[in-house]
Amino acid sequence: MPQFLQTSFLAGLAALAVPVLIHLFFRLKTRRVDLGTIRFLRIALEETARRRKVMRWMLLALRMAVVALLVALFARPFLSAAVTGSDKDLLVILIDQSATMQLKGENGRLVDQAVAEVKKLIETAGNQSRFEVAFFDDDVHPLSTDTDGTGATGQAVLGRLQAPPAIFGATSFGTAFAWARDICVKSPSSRRQFHLFTDLQRSGLDWTEVELLPDGVQSHLHDLGRPVVNNVAVTEIRTPRLWVRPGESPTIHASILYNGAFALDEVAIVFEIGRVDPTGQRSTDDPKPSVVPRRIEFARLAERITKRERVKLEPGATVTLDFDLPALSEGLWQGRVSVEYDDDLAFDNQRYFAISAKPAYRVLIVNGRQSASSLNSESYFLEAALRLADTGDTYAESPFAPTAVVYAEGTGLPSLSGFDAIVLANVANVSTSDADLVASFVRGGGGLLVFTGDRISASSSSSLTSAGLTVGEIGETKTALGLPWRLQQWEEKHPIFEPLSDPQHGDLRRLVFSAYTKLSPLPDAAVLAQFNSGDPAVIERSSGEGTILWVATSCGREWSDWCRSRLFLPTMHQLLSYEVGLSAGGAVRTPADTERRQSSEQRIPGVQQFRRHVEVINTNPRESEPDRCTQQEFEGRFALKFADDGDSTAVQSAMIGNIEFHHDEIWHWVAFSLLAVLMLEGFVGNRTTA
């Protein structure tokens, strides 16, 4: 059963009425003339009239056939029985959704215009075409999760194709081309097209190694960018440190970039900062902590400080402003720098920052063994490593402020209010009430670090097990009779061990252990390091918003020479930094553009507050540079050649994409038939006239 690639041309069948009308209104009419007795002549004329009538009907049929064949030729018929899955056209379409695509064009935002043209392209591409469509910025966001290269139907794609309401990502053409190449390589189709809808932003030409598109892929560029863009942007905010001590007076540096044709006078730059009011935040004893980030509006900030500067901006120049702050009180300070100017791109007119004014993290070290000499204390070396000063002294730059207590039955734990982490050093027989208190502390976001020792066993740790503070089954103590135990492997990408995995910083395999506690991890626990015996050395487990770390050996001198090694201090700092959130980025974090987030809302610029840290989200400063590259530069960067699509409208691109003929088309047979019918129509027409 034949089908047609261009079904819209079938409307031309209405032209079949033209030959019929000509036949009806212009047929030959004879006039009756009375002559003499010519009997035989009348008979001859009647036979000729009948023959001519048949010839006229035949001529009408031939002319209608000419019109029908001409329409069929333009509609490009093909045999549907010959079409297979591998013969279908595949169109790989990439739509730029970087921040600059919010620029207003003739038909709204550029990204909206791109989506509209893609819809036209899909609607006119033909029934046998398949599509792989994705939006891209610094990452690729496909509309379909299928990656086998077969593509989806046009109707399926149109149902999911919607322009994103807000876009803030950076441009990465290399990432987009890598995705398109993978799709084209996996596709079984021999006819593949690549369509790119973008504004050709120069900053997207990141000079990374990009593999070329496969041979035979026809590429089309749809340039949507504007030649001239007027933009004022806050491109950078620099702070001395993201973590300062209360009472310090930091200076904030802000950089303002102007992309325009003419100088601007008296442009207002507004600096705002305020302290986040902790009122209403969740208590550390709350058993149901929230992990959903929240945004704090500037109107709700306490101790607000506002400063205003007016600057002159030259085209293509960057101006740096310094804002001196008074002494900051303890707490989280949230700020922003804004430009009061109506330009073409509003997304970069403000930039956010945050500063944590906090004293050293308080760590409660609970020693499980009473000793007459401090040198023999279970936690002596641990205290010294965290304090970074002699006994009784403090070091202002140390991130930790340790407090050591000896746990004895009947004394109990001190109040945990104000502490950020707890260390249990060979502590046994913890009371049920103290275990529940520690468990509530951990669930609320606190950190717990446990070192084993000769006093740790399954029975002596039963209260910790009941409170959910263990990481697995506690077994026997294993003692080395010959060669000592060593660390064999660890999670090199884990925040604890990542800086310790470089051999230049010391080799953890050099540490020796004479004994350790055998631990069998729970299903929800993660083994971070192992001994060369295969048993776990460090195990992590989550509880609420907090974390529990168990180290299967002591922190003193009894079971190892760890405390006498130069690796002891950095290892202890890494363990405690992970517990309080320092090794994962600290109290104030600025996620890099390469870090992928699960929700698009998490990409919206602003300050997001979690239980133990905040994340400052800003647009990439590269997006504030709207300079465009030429098509020739783009082709040279990615070693491809775009087809000449005229003005690059969707309809023209679709028609160009359909120029490649299907091997199962029967248009040539239609053309031969049309030629034959035209010749026959000429012959019959001459005979009829004669």
Side-chain angles (χ1 to χ4, degrees):
M1 180 66 181
Q3 298 184 13
F4 300 92
L5 290 179
Q6 301 289 356
T7 55
S8 58
F9 281 103
L10 296 179
L13 292 175
L16 291 174
V18 175
V20 176
L21 295 176
I22 294 176
H23 176 79
L24 293 178
F25 291 103
F26 297 97
R27 62 183 179 178
L28 183 65
K29 297 181 179 180
T30 58
R31 187 176 58 180
R32 185 180 183 86
V33 179
D34 294 332
L35 299 175
T37 306
I38 46 176
R39 174 183 174 189
F40 297 104
L41 181 60
R42 176 179 298 185
I43 295 174
L45 289 175
E46 289 178 355
E47 291 180 356
T48 302
R50 283 195 299 268
R51 240 185 356 260
R52 185 175 294 153
K53 184 176 182 180
V54 173
M55 295 293 286
R56 283 202 301 271
W57 282 109
M58 184 181 297
L59 182 62
L60 173 63
L62 289 174
R63 289 173 175 173
M64 294 178 66
V66 168
V67 175
L69 289 173
L70 188 62
V71 171
L73 182 63
F74 280 98
R76 293 173 60 187
F78 65 94
L79 298 177
S80 59
V83 176
T84 62
S86 61
D87 292 328
K88 297 175 181 176
D89 288 334
L90 176 67
L91 278 72
V92 180
I93 302 174
L94 278 168
I95 307 172
D96 190 349
Q97 67 164 19
S98 60
T100 54
M101 292 293 286
Q102 295 186 86
L103 190 66
K104 295 296 180 62
E106 297 179 357
N107 300 315
R109 297 185 308 164
L110 296 184
V111 66
D112 295 325
Q113 181 179 337
V115 170
E117 292 195 11
V118 170
K119 289 182 177 180
K120 292 181 181 178
L121 175 62
I122 294 174
E123 291 171 351
T124 57
N127 297 331
Q128 295 303 317
S129 298
R130 293 295 182 267
F131 305 91
E132 287 284 357
V133 182
F135 291 92
F136 76 94
D137 39 39
D138 51 280
D139 196 8
V140 179
H141 313 277
L143 296 186
S144 174
T145 57
D146 298 332
T147 58
D148 55 0
T150 57
T153 63
Q155 292 299 324
V157 173
L158 290 174
R160 297 191 296 265
L161 184 57
Q162 297 292 334
I167 48 180
F168 301 99
T171 307
S172 178
F173 291 118
T175 303
F177 268 82
W179 177 84
R181 181 188 182 279
D182 291 342
I183 294 296
C184 291
V185 169
K186 295 177 182 178
S187 173
S189 176
S190 59
R191 295 179 297 275
R192 295 159 295 177
Q193 298 182 48
F194 170 61
H195 292 263
L196 177 63
F197 293 80
T198 181
D199 58 355
L200 286 181
Q201 188 177 6
R202 184 180 297 276
S203 65
L205 300 178
D206 46 351
W207 297 101
T208 55
E209 293 296 329
V210 179
E211 296 188 37
L212 306 181
L213 293 176
D215 294 334
V217 177
Q218 189 178 28
S219 301
H220 302 269
L221 175 64
H222 306 257
D223 185 5
L224 305 170
R226 280 173 43 179
V228 179
V229 178
N230 185 35
N231 187 38
V232 180
V234 184
T235 57
E236 185 181 15
I237 295 181
R238 300 186 304 278
T239 60
R241 295 187 306 275
L242 298 178
W243 175 24
V244 300
R245 300 301 192 195
E248 292 188 21
S249 303
T251 299
I252 309 299
H253 311 278
S255 297
I256 314 299
L257 173 66
Y258 172 50
N259 283 294
F262 306 99
L264 300 178
D265 292 325
E266 300 296 317
V267 177
I269 311 298
V270 181
F271 174 88
E272 300 172 272
I273 191 173
R275 184 175 59 83
V276 177
D277 189 355
T279 303
Q281 291 194 21
R282 193 176 298 276
S283 170
T284 56
D285 294 332
D286 194 334
K288 296 181 179 180
S290 173
V291 296
V292 178
R294 63 186 183 120
R295 293 176 181 265
I296 306 299
E297 300 297 332
F298 276 83
R300 299 176 55 189
L301 297 177
E303 304 178 34
R304 294 181 58 187
I305 301 171
T306 301
K307 296 186 177 184
R308 184 181 297 269
E309 298 280 351
R310 292 191 175 273
V311 298
K312 180 178 180 179
L313 300 177
E314 297 290 342
T318 298
V319 176
T320 300
L321 301 176
D322 297 334
F323 298 95
D324 297 323
L325 297 180
L328 299 180
S329 59
E330 182 177 351
L332 174 67
W333 291 78
Q334 176 177 323
R336 66 183 174 186
V337 177
S338 306
V339 177
E340 292 185 346
Y341 181 74
D342 187 15
D343 57 1
D344 292 332
L345 294 174
F347 68 88
D348 55 8
N349 285 8
Q350 60 185 2
R351 199 165 187 86
Y352 300 87
F353 68 95
I355 299 176
S356 175
K358 180 178 175 59
Y361 287 93
R362 295 187 61 194
V363 179
L364 176 63
I365 301 177
V366 184
N367 190 347
R369 174 178 293 166
Q370 181 73 36
S371 177
S373 173
S374 60
L375 290 174
N376 295 326
S377 171
E378 187 81 31
S379 60
Y380 171 78
F381 294 99
L382 175 59
E383 295 175 49
L386 300 183
R387 191 171 53 247
L388 295 178
D390 294 333
T391 303
D393 294 338
T394 59
Y395 178 54
E397 297 299 322
S398 174
F400 304 107
T403 300
V405 298
V406 177
Y407 188 82
E409 295 184 13
T411 59
L413 293 175
S415 173
L416 302 182
S417 176
F419 286 101
D420 299 289
I422 301 174
V423 179
L424 300 181
N426 199 14
V427 178
N429 300 317
V430 178
S431 66
T432 302
S433 59
D434 286 340
D436 293 339
L437 183 64
V438 174
S440 179
F441 170 83
V442 174
R443 287 195 299 268
L448 174 63
L449 176 60
V450 180
F451 292 94
T452 63
D454 56 359
R455 305 184 71 230
I456 300 300
S457 63
S459 59
S460 65
S461 303
S462 59
S463 60
L464 299 179
T465 303
S466 300
L469 297 176
T470 55
V471 293
E473 182 181 351
I474 301 174
E476 61 180 349
T477 299
K478 302 191 69 173
T479 305
L481 301 178
L483 295 176
W485 310 110
R486 295 181 183 271
L487 291 179
Q488 183 179 29
Q489 60 183 13
W490 53 87
E491 295 293 333
E492 296 183 356
K493 298 301 183 181
H494 194 276
I496 295 176
F497 295 104
E498 185 173 9
L500 300 173
S501 298
D502 189 346
Q504 297 182 11
H505 299 160
D507 189 358
L508 293 176
R509 293 182 178 87
R510 296 178 63 88
L511 300 176
V512 295
F513 304 90
S514 60
Y516 66 85
T517 303
K518 181 176 175 58
L519 300 175
S520 300
L522 292 171
D524 60 343
V527 177
L528 304 183
Q530 289 181 325
F531 294 108
N532 54 357
S533 62
D535 291 329
V538 181
I539 303 179
E540 176 189 8
R541 184 167 174 252
S542 299
S543 178
E545 286 191 4
T547 56
I548 303 170
L549 285 175
W550 274 62
V551 181
T553 189
S554 68
C555 61
R557 297 183 299 177
E558 292 80 10
W559 283 7
S560 72
D561 67 346
W562 189 6
C563 57
R564 294 189 291 269
S565 167
R566 65 188 181 95
L567 286 171
F568 183 74
L569 189 149
T571 307
M572 290 299 110
H573 274 246
Q574 283 299 113
L575 289 169
L576 267 302
S577 294
Y578 181 71
E579 290 289 43
V580 300
L582 274 177
S583 63
V588 178
R589 306 175 187 179
T590 54
D593 292 321
T594 54
E595 295 182 16
R596 312 305 182 205
R597 303 173 184 88
Q598 297 296 328
S599 172
S600 60
E601 293 184 358
Q602 292 183 332
R603 303 173 68 95
I604 300 177
V607 180
Q608 298 181 122
Q609 186 173 20
F610 294 81
R611 174 63 181 84
R612 299 173 62 182
H613 72 279
V614 297
E615 288 189 1
V616 182
I617 310 297
N618 284 303
T619 55
N620 192 300
R622 294 186 306 171
E623 287 300 298
S624 300
E625 302 175 3
D627 295 340
R628 288 162 39 82
C629 65
T630 64
Q631 179 174 328
Q632 291 72 24
E633 290 175 319
F634 196 92
E635 291 175 340
R637 167 67 181 92
F638 297 105
L640 53 81
K641 181 64 177 177
F642 288 113
D644 185 8
D645 293 347
D647 61 355
S648 295
T649 61
V651 175
Q652 288 178 336
S653 299
M655 293 176 65
I656 291 176
N658 281 322
I659 287 178
E660 297 181 1
F661 297 114
H662 289 247
H663 74 273
D664 54 337
E665 289 187 41
I666 56 176
W667 64 269
H668 44 283
W669 296 109
V670 177
F672 291 149
S673 301
L674 177 61
L675 181 61
V677 172
L678 283 173
M679 295 177 62
L680 184 59
E681 188 272 344
F683 174 77
V684 173
N686 291 334
R687 298 282 298 182
T688 303
T689 304

